[in-house]
Amino acid sequence: MTTAPRKLHIKSFGCQMNVYDAQRMVDTLAPEGFVETANADDADLVILNTCHIREKASEKVYSELGKLRLAKAEAAQHGKQMNVVVAGCVAQAEGDEIIRRAPVVDVVVGPQSYHNLPQLLAKARDGERALDTDFPVEDKFGFLPAPKPAAIRARGISAFVTVQEGCDKFCTFCVVPYTRGAEVSRPVAKIIEDTERLADNGVREITLIGQNVNGYHGEGPDGRPWALGQLIFRLAEIPGIARIRYSTSHPRDVEDTLIAAHRDLPQLMPFVHLPVQSGSDRILAAMNRKHTAADYRRVIERFRSARQDIAFTSDFIVGFPGETEQDFADTLALVTQIGYAGAYSFKYSPRPGTPAAELQETVSQADMDERLTRLQTLIDSQQAAFNKAAVGKTVDVLFERAARNPGQIVGRTAFLQPAHVMASEDIIGKILPVQVESLERYSLIGTLATATHPPLSSSELSQPVLTATGA
Ligand code: 5AD
Ligand code: SF4
C-alpha cells in the first residue's frame, strides 16, 4: 500500500457479536490502508456499529449522527473528507430511513455485508451514497464477515470466535431473527482454523459467540452436523487454549454433549449465561419461549449435576404485555430459587415488526420501574454474595493486562470476576492461583499464591508500568 494510512474510528454498541464484528471490520479495512484511531474527530472514516435490541439502544444512533454532522462539517472546512458509515442492526432494520433522515451518512451496511465495505467506501469517496442490507442467498456461509484467515490478528489474551449467527427462535419481543436473519452455523473446520491462528498469536481464552450459540449445528469433518458440545471437545485439544466459554445460550437447546463437556473438560469454564426472561409460565408462553419455568430449572439441574461449582447469569424482561404482579412474583421466586452470579434486567420495549409490538401494553412505566428496581435489588444482592464468597479463597486467574494502578496486573477468574494483584508483567497470559484478600466493588484484590512469583519489592512497585494497549 503506497498511500498514507487513513484513520478509522469504530464505535460499537450492544452485544459481543458487535464487538467481534467491529474487529472484523478493522481487519477487512486494514488492507485498504486504514488504521484504528481512538478519536472520531480526526478520523477519515467513522463507523457506528449499532444495536437495535431495545428502543434506547437504537435511539443512540441519531444522537451520535448529530455529533458526527458537526465533525464532518469541521473536517470539510479543513479540506478533509470524513466518511460516515452506519453498520449493525439499526442499519439492517432501518437502512432506508437512515439514508432519508441523515444526509451525514455515506454508507449503510447490514451485518451480512461487511465484506463489501471496501467497494461501498469506494462509492462514498466518489460522492455516492450506498446502502447494502441484503441477506445473501447463494453462499450461506459467505455472509459471515470473513477476511482472509491471515488477517485475523490477536488482540490480547482473550478473543471471541463466531460459531453461528442469527436465530430461528422468534421470541415475540425480539428483533434478532429479523436483523441477524435465520440461524446459520459455521463449519467446524473454519472454527478450528480461526482458533489455531488465535492460539498461535498468544490467545489463551476463546469465547464462542452466537445469538443462539447452543443451537450450533455446523458441518463437522465427518460431513455430519456437530453440536456445540462436540465442537468444544475438539477445540479443547488445541494447544495453548486454556479456557473456553460460550454465549448466548437458549434453555431449549442444551444437549447432553454440552453437559458432558462441562463434566469432562477443565478448559470449559463453569460459568453459563442462560437467559430465562421471566419466571411465569403464562408470560413465557406469550413470549414464545417454548419452555416453562420448571423446564428451565431442570436444565439448570443438569448443568449442576455435571459440575457442582457452575454459576449462572441470565437476562430478564419486566413489564411484558399482560405481566401481572403474580407473574412478576414468579420471576422473583425463580431468581431466589436459582441463585445467580449476576443478571441483566430490562424494561420491556416494544420493537417495530415484532409480534409483541401488536399487543396492548398493560404495565405502566411506573410499575415497570418499580419491578425493575425490585428485581435488580434481588440480583445485586445475589451477585454481591457470590463475589464475597471468593474472599479468603484461592482462585485461578488468567492474567490479561497491566491494570490502571501502577504495578497491578489484572486478570479474570473462571467466573469473569476481575482480579488484581501486584506482580510483574511476565504473568500476563498465565493462569495462576490467587489468594483473594478483599473485594473492591466488583473486583477481587489478592496476592499470587505461587512461590514462583513473590510479591514485588516496594522499590520495584514504584517503577512506572506500561498501560495496556488494545480494547
Ligand atoms: N425489550 C426489552 N428487552 C429486550 N431484550 C430483547 N428484546 C427486548 C425488548 N424488546 C433483552 C432480552 C435479551 C437481551 C439481549 O435483551 O432479555 O435476552
Ligand atoms: Fe431473540 Fe434470543 Fe429469542 Fe433468538 S432466542 S429470538 S436472539 S431472545
Side-chain angles (χ1 to χ4, degrees), residues 384-408:
F386 183 80
N387 287 335
K388 219 169 135 199
V391 177
K393 292 212 180 102
T394 301
V395 300
D396 280 345
V397 173
L398 170 58
F399 287 97
E400 291 184 5
R401 58 187 169 81
R404 228 172 301 151
N405 286 351
Q408 273 190 348

Side-chain angles (χ1 to χ4, degrees), residues 85-370:
V85 174
V86 178
C89 293
V90 183
Q92 187 65 43
E94 299 176 7
D96 295 315
E97 195 184 339
I98 293 169
I99 290 281
R100 212 173 40 243
R101 263 179 71 178
V104 65
V105 176
D106 300 296
V107 173
V108 172
V109 59
Q112 277 71 22
S113 307
Y114 295 149
H115 54 285
N116 294 334
L117 264 172
Q119 295 87 303
L120 297 168
L121 286 169
K123 280 193 189 172
R125 277 194 298 276
D126 292 341
E128 236 182 280
R129 302 177 80 201
L131 170 78
D132 186 348
T133 51
D134 294 341
F135 281 116
V137 276
E138 326 84 72
D139 174 6
K140 71 181 199 140
F141 299 117
F143 70 72
L144 289 164
K148 304 258 173 306
I152 297 173
R153 284 172 294 135
R155 291 172 175 79
I157 299 301
S158 182
F160 294 138
V161 177
T162 294
V163 302
Q164 66 83 229
E165 196 174 354
C167 183
D168 297 336
K169 289 282 188 283
F170 289 94
C171 299
T172 53
F173 53 81
C174 184
V175 289
V176 167
Y178 311 99
T179 54
R180 293 283 176 163
E183 201 285 332
V184 178
S185 296
R186 297 178 71 205
V188 171
K190 291 217 165 143
I191 297 164
I192 294 174
E193 197 178 298
D194 284 3
T195 308
E196 284 177 340
R197 200 167 299 273
L198 290 167
D200 287 347
N201 281 287
V203 165
R204 308 289 326 273
E205 172 180 90
I206 52 165
T207 303
L208 309 178
I209 55 171
Q211 272 92 22
N212 179 14
V213 72
N214 57 333
Y216 178 80
H217 59 267
E219 184 188 283
D222 55 4
R224 293 166 188 238
W226 278 27
L228 181 68
Q230 254 177 307
L231 174 70
I232 291 173
F233 271 103
R234 175 63 186 84
L235 297 177
E237 291 171 10
I238 297 176
I241 298 300
R243 286 183 168 183
I244 302 176
R245 306 176 182 278
Y246 59 91
S247 188
T248 294
S249 304
H250 193 288
R252 269 177 65 90
D253 290 340
V254 177
E255 295 196 20
D256 287 341
T257 51
L258 185 60
I259 301 291
H262 277 286
R263 186 191 59 215
D264 298 340
L265 296 174
Q267 295 97 320
L268 185 56
M269 291 295 98
F271 193 49
V272 176
H273 184 56
L274 197 65
V276 63
Q277 315 296 355
S278 169
S280 151
D281 288 346
R282 254 172 35 82
I283 297 299
L284 288 169
M287 288 176 164
N288 191 34
R289 293 286 296 177
K290 300 202 178 85
H291 63 79
T292 62
D295 294 335
Y296 182 82
R297 288 190 187 97
R298 273 191 290 273
V299 173
I300 296 272
E301 277 321 307
R302 284 167 64 214
F303 277 107
R304 283 189 170 145
S305 61
R307 203 160 158 175
Q308 260 186 346
D309 63 343
I310 201 159
F312 297 93
T313 57
S314 186
D315 292 342
F316 294 91
I317 295 177
V318 301
F320 188 82
E323 186 186 76
T324 61
E325 185 53 38
Q326 181 56 50
D327 294 317
F328 178 66
D330 291 346
T331 298
L332 293 179
L334 181 75
V335 173
T336 304
Q337 195 185 6
I338 304 281
Y340 287 102
Y344 298 101
S345 39
F346 309 100
K347 290 192 276 183
Y348 170 69
S349 150
R351 306 306 292 127
T354 60
E358 307 292 317
L359 300 175
Q360 177 71 41
E361 284 187 62
T362 57
V363 186
S364 70
Q365 278 301 320
D367 283 346
M368 274 201 217
D369 284 332
E370 194 254 351

Side-chain angles (χ1 to χ4, degrees), residues 405-469:
N405 286 351
Q408 273 190 348
I409 308 293
V410 60
R412 294 207 179 247
T413 69
F415 307 108
L416 286 179
Q417 296 147 305
H420 290 73
V421 298
M422 298 300 278
S424 66
E425 286 195 19
D426 62 9
I427 69 166
I428 291 172
K430 293 185 184 160
I431 297 176
L432 297 170
V434 168
Q435 170 71 33
V436 181
E437 278 148 15
S438 61
L439 184 65
E440 263 176 37
R441 286 175 59 85
Y442 299 104
S443 288
L444 308 177
I445 313 291
T447 50
L448 289 179
T450 50
T452 44
H453 291 278
L456 298 185
S457 68
S458 54
S459 64
E460 281 172 299
L461 292 181
S462 60
Q463 298 294 315
V465 173
L466 291 177
T467 46
T469 51

